[in-house]
Amino acid sequence: MDISVIGKKLTVYHTEVNPEYEGKGFAKILLERLVSYARENDLKILPLCPYVHAQFKRHPEEYNDVWLKEEL
């Protein structure tokens, strides 16, 4: 994952898994660890990464507490 943390905002730019591990749940594990880190450190996540944004939209009840919804 490509991320940056500035203040209390964690921005996710990109998530990538090596081709041999695609479809095996590794991106989901990365997302779970990212969200855990954000919760532990009182951060809000700005999901610019298409994968993370899609997961946030599909499961808002799971991520609303960490989802930073910024208007562009």
Side-chain angles (χ1 to χ4, degrees):
M1 292 185 121
D2 291 330
I3 67 166
S4 69
V5 178
I6 298 173
K8 292 291 184 178
K9 179 169 74 172
L10 189 160
T11 304
V12 186
Y13 301 100
H14 181 70
T15 302
E16 186 172 344
V17 176
N18 287 340
E20 64 266 26
Y21 298 112
E22 288 178 0
K24 297 183 179 174
F26 284 94
K28 180 71 171 172
I29 292 168
L30 289 171
L31 176 58
E32 289 171 0
R33 297 291 297 160
L34 179 81
V35 169
S36 292
Y37 179 84
R39 287 180 176 139
E40 291 166 9
N41 292 280
D42 194 30
L43 302 173
K44 295 289 185 181
I45 299 172
L46 180 59
L48 299 182
C49 166
Y51 170 77
V52 175
H53 189 253
Q55 291 301 313
F56 277 26
K57 284 179 68 175
R58 281 189 198 121
H59 308 284
E61 69 287 345
E62 189 173 342
Y63 301 114
N64 268 338
D65 64 318
V66 293
W67 188 358
L68 177 61
K69 298 175 185 173
E70 282 192 352
E71 292 187 25
L72 300 175

